[in-house]
Structures are given as C-alpha cells and as structure tokens.
Amino acid sequence: MTDKLDLKSPDMVNENFEKLAELFPNCVTEGATGREIDFDQLRQELSHAVVEGNKERYRLEWPGKREAIVTANLPTTKTLRPVREDSVDFDNTENLYIEGDNLEVLKLLQESYLGKIKMIYIDPPYNTGKDFVYKDNFSKDKQEELVESGQKDEYNQRLVANPETAGRYHSDWLSMMYPRLKLARNLLTDDGVIFISIDDHEIENLIKIGNEIFGDINLMGPMIQNKLNSKNDTVNIQRNHEYVVAYRKRTEFITNTKIKPNLINKAWKEKTVYEENGEYYYLNDPITTRGEGGTLNKRHNLGYTIYYNPKTSEFVPEEDYDKELAKTSNSEEMVYSTIEEYLDRGFVPVRPPMVRGKLGCWTWSLNKTTEEKKNLIVTGKNGSYTLRKRTFIPKEEVIEEGGKLLYRYHSEGNSRSILEFSTNEGTTVLNELMGFQGAFDNPKNVEMLQYFINLITDKDFIILDFFSGSASSAHSVLKANSFDRGTRKFIQVQLPEELEEDHEARQHGYTNICQLGKERIRRAAKKIKEETGADIDYGFRVYRIDSSNMQDVYYKPQDYVQNNLDLFADNVKPDRTADDLLAQVMLDWGLSLSLKIEQAEVSGKKVFKVAENSLYACFDNGIDEDFAKAIAADAPLRIVFKDSGFKNDTAKVNVKQLLKQLSPETEMKVI
C-alpha cells in the first residue's frame, strides 16, 4: 500500500499534548472526548503552593494528594555527610549505603543520578495496620514534626503508626508512597524498571498511583509471589501469596530494552567449559529433533549421514565425499572421494537418533551443517554419537572452580507471572549470617531479588533500594556479581529506625535498623568472598543525611552589628569536615557519589581528586597564586574552594584569573 501525503500542516496541539504527557504522565486523564491534560494537576506541578480545583475527572483522589505532589516538588536544603568509620574501602568502592529519610535522599540524588538507575527494588510498608508510614507534612516546621510524630532523635524521624481505624488509613499511605515513586521515576534510565513488593492491603492503590506516575502502558503486570508458607486464617480466605508490581519507565524502549519483564527462572545454570587451541567453548544441546514432527518421514531432507573418526575427532558431512573437487582439493583437511575410503580410514557413520521408535533427523540442513562445521563437534560413544554446536566465549567469562572450567549464565526459560519463593528462606539466610534468631522481621528472599537483578542482561548497572530494611538487595547484588563477575552497584537507603526494646537484635548490640543492615552487608561480603574467591567490589560508602554544611543566617541586614559580623567570616558550620564539604559539592555539581576519590598534597594543601581530574576540591585556608599555578598544571575540569579559604580578596581575584589563563577549561566555584 502506497503512503499518502498528509497535505496538511502538523497538528501542533497533538504534538504539544504528547510532549506534556512525556514530561508529566500524571497529568494525563480521561475526559468526555478521550485523553486530556488535567490542567489543574499541571498547575499544581508548576507551583510550590497548593492549587485548588474541583473539576470532575477519572482518577484516583484522596485527601492529601495535592500536598503529596507539593512535597515531591519542594527542594531540600539537606546534605549527605560521609561516615568513613562505618564504610568499607571508602575511597575505591562504588556501592553506597545512605542513612536517612528516603524522601530527602531521593531529592538529593536527583541531579547526580538523574536517568542513571537501571533497576529499583523496594519493599515498602504494606499498610497492614500494624506497621508505620512516613508522615510528610511540608507545611510544618521541624519542631512541629518532632512533637507530632513523637520522634525526637537527631534524625528527625517521621514514622507514625497507621492503624486500620485511622480516618486516613489509605490516604496517609498513598501520600507517603506518591512523592517517593514520583522522584524514583526520574532516576530510572529510559530502559529502567522498578519492582515493588506489596500484599493485598494496598495492591489496588499501588497499581493506581503507579499507572498515574509511570503510565498504565508501562505496567509489566503484578507477579504473584507464592510464599510457600502462610498463617492460618479462620475468618477469610487464607492468603499464601504476596505481589511484586513492576513498571518500565518508557514504552518505546520495549523492543530495544535488555530487560525481560516476566522471565522468571528457578536458578542460575552453569556449563562445563572446554579449551582447544587457546579458545574456550561450551556445548549446546544436540542438533537433533525430538517431537513427532521431527521424524524422517516428515523431514526427508534432514536425514543425511555424518562420517566421524573417533581417533582424530575429524568429521565430514555426507556431501563432502562425492564431490569431484575433493580429489584436487587444496584444503588442509583431507577430503576423500568415496564412502569406502572413509570407512577404510576408521570413520564411522553417524545418523540422527530414533524419535519415539521412528527414524529421526537433524535440526539443521546439510548446507547449514557444512557452513557451520567449524562450530560443530561430534560427542558421545560408538552407537550413540551425536552432533552438537559449540558456543565460543571470551576467556574473561570463564570461571575456574575446584579445578574445573565453568560458564555461569542466567537461563531464559518460559515467561511466568508466579514466583515461588519461601518467605521463611529470607529469614533463615539472615539468621544464619548474623548468628542469632530473630535478627529482622520478614527479610526478603535473597534468591528472589537476585532473579530480578538477572532479568537485566547487562552486568554493569546501578540498583537502588530506598526501603532497604535488612539490606537483602545489597546481599543479592554481591551474589549476582560473584556468579558472573559483574560490576553491578547498589545504593541502599534506610532510615535509622530504632529497634524495639525487646527486639532480639538489641541483645546483640544493634540499636537501629541501619546498624543491622550495614553489618549484614559486611558479613555477606566476607562469606561470598570466602566461598567463591570472586574479584568483585565488596565495599560500600556510608553517608548520613544532615542539615546543610553552610551556616544558617538568622539576621536581617539591618540587624547586623560589628560584634556579630565575625560570625559570618566563615560560612561553613564549625563541626563540618572537608569530607562533608566534598560530598555536598559532588551532589550540587551532579557528580555520582560513587566516583573514585583520591587525596593528594599540592603546595602544602590537602586536595581531593574525584574521578582523576573531573573535580578538584581544596577546603584549606590560605589559597594563593602559587597554589593556583600548581593546580593549573593538572588542568582539572572543575575546582572548588571555600569562599573564606583565600589568602585575601586580591588572591581570590588573581587565582580565578590565573586559572582562566593557564587552564581555560577549568570551571572554578566557591562555597
């Protein structure tokens, strides 16, 4: 059919609609004429204040929804402070463990990790009536939040009980989840995916807000997790399952993405690797058919003979022997002209095996077998020889264990929507690792999380879990990397929620969830390294959320007097270190917190070098022209100083001019 010219100008309304829909998928709704933009919702997205509106439309509404949107869009003045003493291999690792309110952390990651996270897994509160939700109220100041929530520790925790009798039982849960999912979507790569564990209490609401945030076309479908164990229920139908809801970020990446949405497999598989002349390969299934349709009477052209020499391992497809060209062949292989010659020289005929009592046939045609001969091999013993394909792999993908060469891979089995993973298994693994019973309530099954990780065929990407709990997802990343020597990185985010006084973990020295989670990662890393010897990244950098490193300004200009001007000579809080300042600079400049950090001395000053010359930072005092000349020799892309760190005002101007002259590509900033 011939394409016709439109013979009309572009429909700018539709084009603008699609642009808005991509930027604000939650503003797309249904109206009398079909899909429409909800302009009240759009106004809300573009406002820091609550926008009132009461137009009727099809969508999920709840008390507090507009506040939830405002909460997601409001900026934060918080920062992340490194905690080196809790970290493992801080300067070199690319894994992160962040302590703090996940809403604030997600906001802080918006620049550094925008569009960089390939996979998110979260296990949020299920809203069972017995757990907690975050009470996010953007209009209250810090003290009001502390008083209302009953939390008064240094982390400004905002977890509150949400019993089923509460008047906003579902609304409070929705208001908690909405801004977090909205911010999480920004962090996903275009072909990224998010997995969310949930049960019956909020499955419907989760899908509704998920459809609004990610678009219903990007819903990959809730998967049912058969827990393989359940408690008796004498009133209702017994529940022995939970759900995992999965969304991809963008539909147009369905065909190009390396994610296989519902491809859930029971286990990793491995194949024995063979070496031949410096090349490595593993064997695939025999090139033979199995079903009723694969018999010789159905496929007459696939019943040819292969001649094989057991002593030399040489084999020849039937076609080769009767070519006249064989007699004058200049090939390095000896090609004989008659069947008798093959038989006289020790060759034996190899035929396809029987199929259900009938003559079988090969899967490939004679021509294809001849063309692919270099990738084929005959295996078995006399009477049961068969033809198999060899798959060659790079040496770096070969694993040596117990004196054997192995290739581990993730089998691509049938698509499934039912996952069978015992919830008890997650508890057993954690208890054995920690060395005592009752380490954590309902930790996730590590194998299930590892399966989700392996749905993505890449081996180098970032996995984020902002309801980290006992850090099961970090454990899963380490296991996945140890199997295939991948370089996946994890980011764990967890509020340092206090454990109950009678919690078993307290008897072993753990007072909050973060302490338990960090120790779990350390122990898992040690165990995996001992068992596999894998050369992977076992470390993690710990960061803790806190107020800005910069001084708060409490005075209006007219209130300044000579006595208090000295308070602002240095705008950095006195308890903040150079490490603290570097973390805030990296976040503000949009650099990943996992970049390699080195420390050096230049002209007597301490200098941080991030990702070689991507960023230089010096927070010492007395910065002058000589230091600028020394730094310019390295030509860093970016450099940052304290505003109060220059020797004097003249030095500040001169340093800037020298850098422009000696290293024009260097961008200089001060804090």
Side-chain angles (χ1 to χ4, degrees):
M1 184 175 179
T2 306
D3 291 334
K4 292 185 177 180
L5 294 174
D6 263 343
L7 300 179
K8 60 181 180 181
S9 62
D11 188 338
M12 300 304 296
V13 171
N14 282 342
E15 290 186 16
N16 290 334
F17 179 96
E18 294 302 330
K19 291 176 183 177
L20 285 172
E22 181 175 341
L23 289 172
F24 305 101
N26 60 317
C27 293
V28 178
T29 187
E30 296 176 9
T33 58
R35 295 173 73 218
E36 296 180 354
I37 293 294
D38 180 348
F39 290 102
D40 288 339
Q41 187 88 335
L42 184 60
R43 286 175 59 211
Q44 186 63 77
E45 289 286 358
L46 303 176
S47 174
H48 283 163
V50 173
V51 176
E52 298 298 331
N54 55 7
K55 181 181 177 182
E56 290 184 353
R57 57 185 61 83
Y58 173 78
R59 70 178 184 191
L60 177 64
E61 291 284 5
W62 69 88
K65 182 175 182 179
R66 293 181 184 275
E67 288 87 347
I69 296 172
V70 170
T71 300
N73 291 338
L74 279 178
T76 181
T77 58
K78 302 285 181 68
T79 191
L80 296 176
R81 301 179 66 185
V83 186
R84 283 183 175 265
E85 60 271 22
D86 286 0
S87 305
V88 177
D89 195 20
F90 185 95
D91 288 331
N92 299 304
T93 184
E94 295 186 75
N95 299 315
L96 304 180
Y97 188 100
I98 304 175
E99 300 182 21
D101 180 344
N102 54 16
L103 179 63
E104 301 288 353
V105 173
L106 287 169
K107 291 181 179 182
L108 288 171
L109 300 182
Q110 290 297 299
E111 286 192 72
S112 296
Y113 291 91
L114 183 69
K116 294 181 180 178
I117 308 292
K118 177 84 73 158
M119 171 183 159
I120 298 175
Y121 170 80
I122 56 172
D123 181 27
Y126 285 4
N127 208 23
T128 62
K130 299 177 183 178
D131 50 11
F132 294 83
V133 297
Y134 288 85
K135 189 74 169 180
D136 303 317
N137 193 324
F138 72 96
S139 64
K140 292 182 172 64
D141 63 26
K142 180 190 291 187
Q143 192 56 37
E144 285 178 308
E145 285 177 355
L146 291 173
V147 172
E148 281 203 4
S149 67
Q151 303 289 341
K152 299 183 179 180
D153 65 14
E154 67 271 30
Y155 299 112
N156 186 22
Q157 294 189 65
R158 297 183 290 179
L159 287 177
V160 297
N162 193 36
E164 293 181 89
T165 54
R168 288 173 49 140
Y169 172 61
H170 291 292
S171 296
D172 284 346
W173 187 87
L174 286 165
S175 292
M176 175 196 71
M177 292 297 296
Y178 193 92
R180 288 164 174 81
L181 291 178
K182 194 168 184 294
L183 291 167
R185 181 184 183 273
N186 298 339
L187 301 179
L188 284 174
T189 59
D190 283 336
D191 61 350
V193 62
I194 181 170
F195 298 98
I196 310 167
S197 286
I198 201 68
D199 72 359
D200 293 279
H201 288 83
E202 296 292 354
I203 177 67
E204 294 92 350
N205 283 332
L206 175 62
I207 291 176
K208 286 177 182 176
I209 61 171
N211 287 349
E212 185 171 308
I213 292 169
F214 295 93
D216 57 1
I217 197 170
N218 291 318
L219 173 64
M220 295 192 290
M223 293 171 276
I224 298 172
Q225 181 200 347
N226 184 354
K227 300 192 295 183
L228 305 181
N229 54 278
S230 58
K231 296 178 180 179
N232 290 329
D233 192 328
T234 58
V235 179
N236 301 310
I237 295 175
Q238 181 170 300
R239 295 186 179 102
N240 62 351
H241 65 274
E242 292 178 356
Y243 304 91
V244 178
V245 178
Y247 285 92
R248 64 173 65 84
K249 184 173 182 180
R250 294 179 63 177
T251 309
E252 56 264 42
F253 282 81
I254 290 175
T255 55
N256 297 326
T257 182
K258 295 182 179 178
I259 296 168
K260 298 179 174 51
N262 291 325
L263 208 56
I264 307 301
N265 300 278
K266 298 302 292 181
W268 275 81
K269 292 187 178 182
E270 63 182 33
K271 290 183 179 289
T272 300
V273 173
Y274 304 89
E275 188 269 338
E276 183 179 290
N277 299 324
E279 292 186 304
Y280 296 84
Y281 66 89
Y282 62 83
L283 296 176
N284 294 280
D285 291 337
I287 311 297
T288 55
T289 55
R290 297 183 181 88
E292 183 67 29
T295 56
L296 187 58
N297 65 335
K298 301 282 188 180
R299 310 288 297 278
H300 301 290
N301 62 319
L302 301 182
Y304 50 89
T305 302
I306 290 170
Y307 291 91
Y308 171 64
N309 190 325
K311 292 182 179 180
T312 65
S313 297
E314 182 185 6
F315 74 92
V316 182
E318 185 180 21
E319 184 182 55
D320 286 1
Y321 76 82
D322 63 351
K323 289 182 178 179
E324 287 299 320
L325 182 63
K327 298 177 182 179
T328 58
S329 174
N330 293 322
S331 170
E332 292 182 4
E333 288 187 79
M334 182 62 68
V335 181
Y336 304 105
S337 59
T338 67
I339 295 175
E340 287 73 17
E341 285 186 71
Y342 282 110
L343 297 177
D344 289 344
R345 295 178 182 274
F347 284 77
V348 295
V350 177
R351 298 283 301 166
M354 302 287 285
V355 176
R356 299 180 184 179
K358 299 179 181 180
L359 294 176
C361 59
W362 303 110
T363 304
W364 290 359
S365 69
L366 179 58
N367 285 341
K368 183 172 182 181
T369 297
T370 303
E371 291 170 359
E372 292 279 347
K373 184 178 175 182
K374 62 181 181 301
N375 295 322
L376 298 174
I377 190 171
V378 176
T379 63
K381 57 185 179 180
N382 192 19
S384 62
Y385 290 123
T386 190
L387 190 64
R388 301 177 74 175
K389 181 183 177 182
R390 298 185 291 179
T391 296
F392 291 89
I393 58 174
K395 184 178 180 180
E396 55 267 23
E397 293 188 19
V398 178
I399 299 170
E400 185 173 357
E401 284 187 8
K404 295 197 310 182
L405 298 180
L406 301 173
Y407 171 68
R408 284 204 178 98
Y409 67 102
H410 182 65
S411 171
E412 298 183 1
N414 295 327
S415 289
R416 300 187 180 184
S417 60
I418 297 179
L419 318 173
E420 294 186 349
F421 297 99
S422 170
T423 51
N424 285 344
E425 184 65 22
T427 301
T428 300
V429 168
L430 181 58
N431 289 345
E432 289 179 353
L433 194 63
M434 301 303 295
F436 61 91
Q437 299 295 310
F440 192 80
D441 298 331
N442 302 315
K444 282 301 166 189
N445 187 309
V446 172
E447 286 193 356
M448 182 179 78
L449 303 187
Q450 192 178 339
Y451 293 161
F452 293 151
I453 290 169
N454 290 312
L455 296 181
I456 301 173
T457 56
D458 290 345
K459 297 179 183 179
D460 180 19
F461 59 92
I462 303 172
I463 297 114
L464 167 65
D465 182 349
F466 53 89
F467 283 99
S468 172
S470 67
S472 296
S473 55
H475 190 164
S476 304
V477 171
L478 295 176
K479 284 197 71 175
N481 285 343
S482 71
F483 271 122
D484 60 14
R485 305 310 191 258
T487 53
R488 305 168 187 87
K489 278 79 69 174
F490 64 74
I491 301 177
Q492 304 282 288
V493 182
Q494 177 59 45
L495 187 77
E497 180 185 347
E498 292 291 314
L499 296 171
E500 299 291 335
E501 290 295 332
D502 60 349
H503 198 288
E504 184 64 28
R506 273 192 174 269
Q507 313 309 313
H508 296 268
Y510 307 102
T511 61
N512 65 54
I513 294 177
C514 288
Q515 292 176 358
L516 185 73
K518 288 179 289 187
E519 182 61 21
R520 190 241 181 100
I521 301 173
R522 296 186 193 103
R523 294 189 180 208
K526 181 181 179 182
K527 186 172 187 290
I528 291 169
K529 188 173 185 179
E530 289 174 350
E531 291 177 349
T532 69
D535 184 16
I536 61 173
D537 182 359
Y538 292 104
F540 59 96
R541 294 181 184 178
V542 178
Y543 288 90
R544 185 172 293 151
I545 200 164
D546 207 331
S547 59
S548 172
N549 294 315
M550 315 319 291
Q551 293 274 18
D552 297 322
V553 179
Y554 297 104
Y555 299 97
K556 298 176 182 177
Q558 61 267 30
D559 295 331
Y560 288 159
V561 294
Q562 189 64 41
N563 292 340
N564 63 32
L565 284 178
D566 290 342
L567 294 174
F568 307 103
D570 191 340
N571 60 344
V572 177
K573 292 177 180 176
D575 65 332
R576 303 305 165 93
T577 67
D579 275 332
D580 296 332
L581 298 177
L582 179 63
Q584 187 161 6
V585 167
M586 290 172 70
L587 286 169
D588 288 349
W589 228 318
L591 298 176
S592 298
L593 291 172
S594 58
L595 292 174
K596 184 177 177 61
I597 299 172
E598 299 175 276
Q599 298 182 37
E601 186 173 303
V602 178
S603 296
K605 310 289 185 191
K606 181 180 179 181
V607 176
F608 291 97
K609 298 181 178 181
V610 180
E612 297 180 348
N613 74 333
S614 291
L615 168 67
Y616 276 26
C618 181
F619 306 112
D620 288 353
N621 294 322
I623 301 298
D624 57 15
E625 292 83 353
D626 290 338
F627 179 80
K629 292 175 183 177
I631 283 291
D634 289 349
L637 296 178
R638 309 172 183 87
I639 190 164
V640 65
F641 306 104
K642 283 196 308 180
D643 195 29
S644 61
F646 295 93
K647 188 174 182 179
N648 49 49
D649 289 342
T650 302
K652 181 178 180 180
V653 174
N654 290 342
V655 165
K656 187 172 184 178
Q657 292 303 317
L658 278 169
L659 286 173
K660 277 186 177 181
Q661 178 184 348
L662 301 176
S663 181
E665 300 300 320
T666 299
E667 183 180 1
M668 173 183 149
K669 287 189 178 180
V670 297
I671 59 171

